[in-house]
Amino acid sequence: MIKQLVSALALCLATALPGVAQTGIGTPVTAEILPGWVKADGTRIAAIKFKLAPGWKTYWRAPGDAGIPPQFDWSRSDNLRGVGITWPAPKVFREGGVRTIGYKDELVLPITLAPRQTGKPMRLTATLDFGVCSDICVPQQLEVSALLDSTDRTPTPAIAAALAARAYSGSEAGVRSATCSLRPTANGLTIETRLDMPPAGRRELVVIEPGQPGLWAGEMNSKRSGGTLTATGDLSAMSGGAVAIDRSAITITVLGDNRAIEIRGCTPG
């Protein structure tokens, strides 16, 4: 599984820049900061808005085996203590036998900003490393910066809509139980999740995020039987060593035709 990931990323990186130069498409994505509003506790709800050229898509935090996971560097910001990201529910793309997870056309990514000094202006500077794909994959690095000094408390419609588009929590979606069984393999572990929950649509894709540095989860094979959704896949250590799992750190996301559900943690199965 790790070899497949490295090969996919190497292919994207090897073909990206020459492909752009040859096709003359220009920049396939732009980004800007939406300043948002200030909450009563002093935190700010803002967003980064990505605008993609027609036919291009970018990736969710867990992009699939052929995708490029996004990374954000906020370290050059001023008066910023912490950042929380709320991901809108992504779409599943199935093209040429490859399954990736992400967004097309436009992505408004809400961020919750905690200042070091409440009531003082904030300079938000972010370096964004991510991938976009059409017929080719192009790694991108963009820098966005804005002075956030307004005290407006009126929610921005575009950001509010993106917040409303997040995945349902397990309790909101009626998840009754979530268990994880683990079995050692030559390269790590096989994980099987069993979710007692109502259907999220005709097609349901289960995504596992281990929640621990150095661990990689491969694609899951999902099937439903009545009220139970079962998914099986592999967990591997990037270093190739032994794998230890904290079940409470695992995030299980179900992407269905009708809705997305995010479940935090699982119990032994």
Side-chain angles (χ1 to χ4, degrees):
M1 186 61 63
I2 299 301
K3 291 182 179 179
Q4 294 173 351
L5 173 64
V6 173
S7 298
L9 292 177
L11 178 62
C12 283
L13 293 170
T15 60
L17 295 181
V20 171
Q22 292 166 4
T23 58
I25 58 170
T27 304
V29 60
T30 59
E32 63 175 314
I33 294 172
L34 302 182
W37 68 95
V38 178
K39 298 175 63 178
D41 63 1
T43 59
R44 176 178 290 273
I45 306 298
I48 299 177
K49 180 180 178 180
F50 297 85
K51 184 68 176 178
L52 295 152
W56 289 80
K57 59 182 180 288
T58 192
Y59 295 106
W60 185 50
R61 63 177 191 244
D65 277 354
I68 302 173
Q71 299 182 40
F72 306 90
D73 181 1
W74 316 96
S75 61
R76 294 170 57 207
S77 300
D78 294 325
N79 192 27
L80 179 65
R81 179 168 53 85
V83 180
I85 299 175
T86 301
W87 290 89
K91 300 294 184 183
V92 180
F93 301 103
R94 298 174 174 88
E95 298 172 344
V98 177
R99 184 172 64 194
T100 56
I101 305 170
Y103 311 89
K104 64 179 182 178
D105 299 330
E106 183 178 285
L107 167 63
V108 176
L109 185 62
I111 50 178
T112 301
L113 308 173
R116 294 187 181 278
Q117 292 183 288
T118 302
K120 300 292 185 180
M122 176 187 302
R123 167 64 70 175
L124 182 66
T125 300
T127 302
L128 316 173
D129 287 284
F130 57 101
V132 293
C133 275
S134 179
D135 297 327
I136 57 171
C137 293
V138 183
Q140 294 280 289
Q141 184 180 87
L142 297 178
E143 182 174 297
V144 291
S145 184
L147 178 64
L148 307 179
D149 57 357
S150 74
T151 57
D152 189 2
R153 296 199 175 184
T154 303
T156 305
I159 302 177
L163 288 168
R166 66 170 176 79
Y168 289 88
S169 68
S171 59
E172 290 171 335
V175 177
R176 294 173 286 272
S177 66
T179 64
C180 297
S181 299
L182 302 171
R183 179 172 56 84
T185 65
N187 299 314
L189 295 170
T190 292
I191 183 170
E192 180 183 85
T193 67
R194 295 177 63 85
L195 307 174
D196 184 5
M197 56 174 281
R202 184 175 60 85
R203 291 188 297 184
E204 296 172 305
L205 173 67
V206 176
V207 180
I208 294 290
E209 295 171 85
Q212 297 170 240
L215 291 183
W216 172 259
E219 286 191 2
M220 305 289 288
N221 295 315
S222 311
K223 64 178 181 180
R224 176 172 284 277
S225 177
T228 301
L229 178 62
T230 303
T232 306
D234 295 324
L235 296 177
S236 304
M238 301 294 283
S239 62
V243 177
I245 296 294
D246 176 6
R247 286 181 173 84
S248 67
I250 292 174
T251 298
I252 306 169
T253 304
V254 180
L255 301 174
D257 293 333
N258 298 335
R259 57 181 174 171
I261 300 114
E262 185 175 287
I263 302 157
R264 299 296 182 94
C266 55
T267 59

